[in-house]
Amino acid sequence: MIEKLIAKIKKTNAPIVVGLDPMLSYVPDQIVKKSFAEYGETLEGAADAIWQFNKEIVDATCDLIPAVKPQIAMYEQFGIEGLKAFKKTVDYCHEKDLVVIGDIKRGDIGSTSAAYAAGHLGKVQVGSQVFRGFDEDFVTVNPYLGTDGVKPFVDICKEEKKGLFILVKTSNPSSGEFQDRLIDGKPLYEHVAEKVAAWGEELMGEDYSYIGAVVGATYPEIGKALRKVMPKSFILVPGYGAQGGRGKDLTHYFNEDGLGAIVNSSRGIIAAYKQEAYAKFGAEHFADASRQAVLDMIDDISSALR
Amino acid sequence: MIEKLIAKIKKTNAPIVVGLDPMLSYVPDQIVKKSFAEYGETLEGAADAIWQFNKEIVDATCDLIPAVKPQIAMYEQFGIEGLKAFKKTVDYCHEKDLVVIGDIKRGDIGSTSAAYAAGHLGKVQVGSQVFRGFDEDFVTVNPYLGTDGVKPFVDICKEEKKGLFILVKTSNPSSGEFQDRLIDGKPLYEHVAEKVAAWGEELMGEDYSYIGAVVGATYPEIGKALRKVMPKSFILVPGYGAQGGRGKDLTHYFNEDGLGAIVNSSRGIIAAYKQEAYAKFGAEHFADASRQAVLDMIDDISSALR
């Protein structure tokens, strides 16, 4: 799957990923009204609105981008109905041949991590039958539990030719509280990054590993340092746009081959029509606003990389 | 909800929690056959088998115990159908007046943590209506992202009078890889424990905080040290039984009032009938085996605490 991600990045010339993290407040009235008319003001109605919103954005942007990153929390807040919308979104993005990064940040002790890995990347056996639960292509994983919490994910990635992005340095303001603390003279995130590089060696594609890392756009100096610690790992970079990251800050997340990083924008793309810069599209044409925001983001990052 | 947990511990004289972490392989043939007969060898069939299994165990043990801890990964592996069984289990345990600790180990940046917290502890607004997604009483939270990843959970706990158990020192063999590393002369888990104590001060019940910690039974010396770092935090103790922890090792997880800890056993209770000690019950009476295993666990821990 890392090869597919790389091929699609090369083809689209867009090392970006659209974060499908819908809040109900992002969804334009015309969609919400229609969903509520059909399903009522219910969890089903909310989930339908989110799914219809996603679908229009995917339709409007899928030719421009290699990948999407649905954030499962935004669906999970609506319970079972929300998770059905997550699954529908994953399936639809597969139909559109997009690489799907499930932003699930799971991580537990061995057998439990194995269950998460089976549900999100692999398959389960039921009697004589085999089924796939959510079936993303990559997922994000939290490393706090150490190797035996991560290895079950790696093992299933080996079987399925799928991949991971492991949290190393997150984009939020208080990420440094634990992640930046020095251990033997090096910040915790660097120790985690070294493990990511080691885990990644076990599962190499042609030039890059199937095991990548998450490093926030909001800490460009750290991104620069970590690029060298994990030369063969793709870096998933959240925090672009709404959280403050800009293309010019992100050049050092990439290797000299122009690869090695994929930058996520969520709100900045999916709720573009709410920004002044794209207000002219109006709520009616929110998906066109998202398309324009994708084009602008590609341009921002390409210019910086040139 | 911490008051309810304490009241129930006092009433049952059992500072224990049954981990409802079913593998399909734990479910006796008679249940699996019935579920497959009704729903086929499908995800729905697997989910039904797990739900029926849980229900019998809850029925057989609910008068003896204060709380259950369903591990969501075991349900999530079966996709949407599995999560429906999780929800059914949570609802049924509420009917039986058990405190429900959702072992979800979520944690993300602020707005995303808020969505998880809304979905698992709080509520969501849909138009003029309000709904609850999964509605557990407590959830487990991963602290790797720092305060702004945890605070949204704390905020919703304040509103809902619900609680958290934050991962401090996990029970798995490689938990030390990051958690034990020294920062300013103290292990990372101790820094996290100090934060748990601080977050907990914001949300105190009568004697204990709504904000607790997870400390594995497999590291009793660490449990002893952390008890002092977080005197007002309840400690959820996984790793008893199948993972190796024993009552006599766990006395220091408790305070002098005999409270302050709640010990989880999952496999040791729910798959008791598969152990030699309970083989006499047979698969037919698996729930009676679980009841006996609960009684034995209460006895083991009470003797140790005496």
Side-chain angles (χ1 to χ4, degrees), chain A residues 239-257:
Chain A
Y240 176 91
Q243 286 183 58
R246 284 285 162 263
K248 64 181 169 48
D249 304 321
L250 301 180
T251 53
H252 297 297
Y253 291 70
F254 291 82
N255 279 319
E256 302 224 327
D257 58 4

Side-chain angles (χ1 to χ4, degrees), chain A residues 167-172 175 179 214 216 218-219, chain B residues 109 144-145:
Chain A
L167 303 189
V168 171
K169 170 68 182 174
T170 55
S171 60
N172 55 315
S175 68
Q179 297 166 25
V214 174
T218 41
Y219 301 100
Chain B
I109 67 168
Y144 188 68
L145 286 91

Side-chain angles (χ1 to χ4, degrees), chain A residues 1 29-30 43 52 138 140 180 194 196 223 228 301-302:
Chain A
M1 200 47 75
D29 281 349
Q30 71 272 16
L43 292 173
Q52 300 295 346
F138 288 81
T140 55
D180 291 4
E194 286 171 1
V196 168
K228 296 189 180 78
I301 291 176
S302 307

Side-chain angles (χ1 to χ4, degrees), chain B residues 125-263:
Chain B
Q125 185 88 32
V126 179
S128 59
Q129 306 295 310
V130 164
F131 297 93
R132 293 182 174 276
F134 290 102
D135 202 22
E136 297 102 301
D137 299 316
F138 287 81
V139 295
T140 55
V141 168
N142 186 309
Y144 188 68
L145 286 91
T147 296
D148 64 27
V150 174
K151 269 301 288 294
F153 285 97
V154 176
D155 291 343
I156 288 188
C157 285
K158 277 185 195 169
E159 276 173 40
E160 302 282 344
K161 302 276 174 225
K162 292 185 169 184
L164 306 178
F165 291 101
I166 295 168
L167 303 188
V168 171
K169 170 68 182 174
T170 55
S171 61
N172 55 315
S174 62
S175 68
E177 214 167 86
F178 303 123
Q179 297 166 24
D180 291 4
R181 300 302 298 273
L182 295 181
I183 295 167
D184 290 345
K186 280 187 302 199
L188 171 59
Y189 61 70
E190 199 172 325
H191 292 273
V192 177
E194 286 171 0
K195 283 283 176 192
V196 168
W199 295 324
E201 275 173 24
E202 285 181 41
L203 190 49
M204 281 296 297
E206 204 167 319
D207 294 313
Y208 285 94
S209 172
Y210 285 75
I211 310 302
V214 174
V215 182
T218 41
Y219 301 100
E221 285 307 310
I222 295 176
K224 189 175 175 177
L226 290 175
R227 175 69 288 168
K228 296 189 180 79
V229 179
M230 308 173 285
K232 301 289 185 195
S233 299
F234 248 76
I235 300 178
L236 172 64
V237 189
Y240 176 91
Q243 285 182 59
R246 284 285 165 264
K248 65 181 170 48
D249 304 322
L250 302 180
T251 53
H252 298 297
Y253 291 71
F254 292 82
N255 279 319
E256 302 225 326
D257 59 4
L259 291 169
I262 186 158
V263 183

Side-chain angles (χ1 to χ4, degrees), chain A residues 65-87:
Chain A
I65 59 174
V68 291
K69 181 176 76 63
Q71 166 54 263
I72 200 168
M74 296 302 162
Y75 305 82
E76 208 166 308
Q77 68 181 323
F78 297 106
I80 300 292
E81 294 302 327
L83 287 160
K84 285 186 195 167
F86 176 81
K87 173 72 177 135

